[in-house]
Amino acid sequence: MEIEPAEEVKEPPRIHRLDESVVNRIAAGEVIQRPVSAVKELVENSLDASSTSISVLVKDGGLKLIQVSDDGHGIRYEDLPILCERHTTSKLSKYEDLQSIKSMGFRGEALASMTYVGHVTVTTITRGQLHGYRVSYRDGVMENEPKACAAVKGTQILIENLFYNMVARRKTLQNSADDYTKIVDLLSRFAIHHIDVSFSCRKHGATRADVHSVATPSRLNAIRSVYGLSVAQNLIKIEASDNDPSSSVFEMDGFISNSNYVAKKTTMVLFINDRLVECTALKRALEVVYVATLPKASKPFIYMSITLPPEHVDVNVHPTKREVSLLNQEVIVEKIQSVVESVLRNSNESRTFQEQTVEATPSVPSVTNNDLHLSPSPPGSKSQRVPVNKIVRTDSSDPAGRMHAYLYKNPQKYLGRDSSLTTVRSSVRQRRNLKETADLTSIQELINDIDRKCHSGLLDIVRQSTYIGMADDVFALLQHNTHLYLANVVNLSKELMYQQVLRRFAHFNAIQLSEPAPLQELIMLALKEEDSDLESNENDDLKKKIAEMNTQLLNQKSEMLEEYFCIFIDSDGNLSRLPILLDQYTPDMDRVPEFVLCLGNDVEWEEEKNCFQSLAAALGNFYAMHPPMLPNPSGKGLEFYRKRKHGKHTQDGGNSCHVDGTAEEDEFEHELLSEAETAWAQREWSIQHVLFPSMRLFLKPPNSMASNGTFVRVASLEKLYKIFERC
């Protein structure tokens, strides 16, 4: 009999104190994350030194060299030995000073961190001195004694070989163009806020600065100088304030873009107590206002300066001081959001368009401005003829050229809608979340996933394309520039509804069912529809047990379903309310049983993020614009509604014939046919007037749609024109 050797008992690993150099390098990597972080810290130090001129020189995106020069008060000779030690500062003495801190630097970590990841050289002179001093630092200490040198007023800090001892970090930052762009953007933001300071930024070896601003008394002039005339001329002055100690105390002034401004991404420059920071909640709240208010839903340009009492701001919440924490942040955001919305709605009453003159010739029909991309013509330029094959639809609200103009002579007969198209579009634009939607981290993560996976090319097609008509039961025909696309309506509507659930999370309006529907009966109905053998009763007990279990589960989750998704289940297990995901649109109620079964079977209730994601997916599938249950009453589908005679359909597709040769008209199930015509016409109306306008405002198409057949390019109008020209 073999005896197994006893398992060797392992001792727990010892805890030891890290070497100070390791600790300092780890801390440095948190504070100086990339070259732009170093530039920000140095520029803020220059501003704290009361500088009136700051210049930045950059080589290889900041990895080879960063030089920041200012004309501030300089650094004392006796302070140079401890200048780059950790936690040495002239702005803070005790922790309580943080409650009233007004300077941008205060922890004494920035310069120290730079010496642990780069080679730092400081040249400085103070007022009244005959010469300056130059000294080099490494790992927080001076490499040699300060040397006397010629110097101009202020301080110059030179950082060379940034991240030379952090191989992985340096490899990830090899694209110097990206980092230089970030540095230029940073200096541009400082330049439009600190209008009493001159800023410049240029690449090493370049003769021309990429940022060059001079001190000016006008904020608008500073914006014009940095961001250009096209931005400055489309800005609106905005102000807000509150002085109620019980709610919020703040003052805000700034500029926001109007309805004539067009951009593909949001530019938000935010300063709080003169500190350049980010506030995701405020940015998202303002973007929601723009999406709901402006017809083109263009991304805005926003500059805001918010002033609060220093004790209401916690500046010590992020290693790079990029974020701050505000007292009564939700109240402040809501009040600013309301002011912006009011200003935008007033400015949206009129828009300015630049016209392009087009010569009309006998061979080319006259073209209206709606048919062309409107762009300013250079002064003195001649009017240019637009080739016929280049004329494209550019106004999605213009029905000219759509197939509907030729297919239906009286569409109201099918729809029976009281509201006009203008009312519907207005409702779609005005619908917005009044409060912050992403109160939960899991919801914010899901929304961030949507933004991260958005396909920019498809987004442009969705925003700029024109709806032409339905090509078949599933695909719609769109035109974007001179290309025609088939777009899968079911996939698009499913994704749009999914995204709307997440964005409107916990802030839904409700659809009230005419009569409460028992959950158990709905689930039984769905289970029977899934069973292909309708005559079999063998599994009825199993179906009943599944229905009971799912009903019990949904009853347990009813409070959460009502609070977050507006799905109301009463104490008796009856479904009586559903959420509104898009105004003017009600889902196909024939799919309610399938939806309820999906809630019970497919939702992952255990983990929060997966739960919300699967619930949003279930709602998205239910609200998607699937083809109606009844077959399409056109083409071959019409045969379904023909009355059967002696158990058979007539096969000639036309009129039936008597023995004596006389013909009688085909007979149809007119009531069923009328119901199908209404359902299909209503779906197509919803696709044209609700789905596609909403997609232009809200949908961010994921990358997967580029490869799964949701969008298929079918033709180029330029090539078709050449073919027709030959005929």
Side-chain angles (χ1 to χ4, degrees), residues 469-477 486-489 683 709-712:
M470 293 299 293
D472 59 17
D473 295 350
V474 174
F475 284 92
L477 190 62
L486 286 175
N488 189 311
V489 168
R683 175 180 182 252
T710 300
F711 287 91
V712 180

Side-chain angles (χ1 to χ4, degrees), residues 119-347:
H119 303 136
V120 176
T121 302
V122 177
T123 304
T124 185
I125 184 172
T126 55
R127 187 176 181 180
Q129 284 187 327
L130 297 176
H131 57 80
Y133 293 94
R134 179 177 292 122
V135 60
S136 299
Y137 295 86
R138 181 172 294 190
D139 295 339
V141 297
M142 292 194 306
E143 289 189 304
N144 43 52
E145 289 297 316
K147 295 180 181 179
C149 66
V152 295
K153 179 189 175 186
T155 302
Q156 181 189 90
I157 297 182
L158 181 70
I159 307 174
E160 297 175 287
N161 299 321
L162 193 61
F163 304 123
Y164 73 96
N165 53 358
M166 300 175 71
V167 179
R169 179 78 61 90
R170 194 175 179 87
K171 284 184 177 179
T172 61
L173 299 173
Q174 287 302 316
N175 192 344
S176 59
D178 287 348
D179 281 283
Y180 182 69
T181 302
K182 293 178 187 295
I183 294 170
V184 168
D185 179 64
L186 175 77
L187 268 293
S188 300
R189 292 167 185 261
F190 276 118
I192 66 171
H193 179 74
H194 297 279
I195 57 177
D196 55 343
V197 180
S198 300
F199 289 89
S200 71
C201 178
R202 65 182 177 90
K203 286 184 179 180
H204 183 267
T207 56
R208 181 177 174 274
D210 292 287
V211 175
H212 181 68
S213 71
V214 295
T216 173
S218 169
R219 180 97 53 206
L220 204 56
N221 285 342
I223 295 174
R224 184 183 296 111
S225 171
V226 175
Y227 287 97
L229 180 62
S230 60
V231 175
Q233 69 184 1
N234 290 317
L235 296 182
I236 312 168
K237 177 75 174 174
I238 187 168
E239 293 179 343
S241 63
D242 190 16
N243 196 25
D244 183 1
S246 63
S247 60
S248 61
V249 178
F250 75 96
E251 290 183 0
M252 182 276 290
D253 68 272
F255 290 91
I256 59 173
S257 56
N258 60 20
S259 55
N260 296 311
Y261 179 77
V262 178
K264 291 186 178 180
K265 68 175 184 176
T266 299
T267 300
M268 182 165 182
V269 183
L270 176 63
F271 282 81
I272 296 180
N273 287 2
D274 292 329
R275 186 185 299 276
L276 178 62
V277 295
E278 296 177 1
C279 181
T280 305
L282 179 58
K283 181 179 179 182
R284 192 162 52 245
L286 298 182
E287 284 181 328
V288 167
V289 174
Y290 271 86
V291 166
T293 307
L294 298 187
K296 294 293 183 182
S298 176
K299 299 295 185 183
F301 177 95
I302 300 166
Y303 161 77
M304 281 187 184
S305 176
I306 302 175
T307 305
L308 302 96
E311 61 270 18
H312 289 188
V313 186
D314 184 0
V315 297
N316 193 32
V317 296
H318 194 278
T320 64
K321 304 189 289 287
R322 189 178 63 191
E323 299 173 5
V324 295
S325 180
L326 307 180
L327 186 67
N328 301 319
Q329 177 174 298
E330 293 181 359
V331 177
I332 294 172
V333 168
E334 187 173 352
K335 289 185 177 180
I336 293 176
Q337 185 184 35
S338 299
V339 171
V340 170
E341 181 178 19
S342 175
V343 171
L344 274 182
R345 290 202 182 280
N346 292 334
S347 74

Side-chain angles (χ1 to χ4, degrees), residues 560-577:
M560 185 269 283
L561 290 171
E562 180 185 7
E563 180 180 357
Y564 291 150
F565 299 97
C566 198
I567 300 172
F568 182 70
I569 299 170
D570 62 26
S571 56
D572 297 325
N574 298 321
L575 177 69
S576 59
R577 277 202 302 270

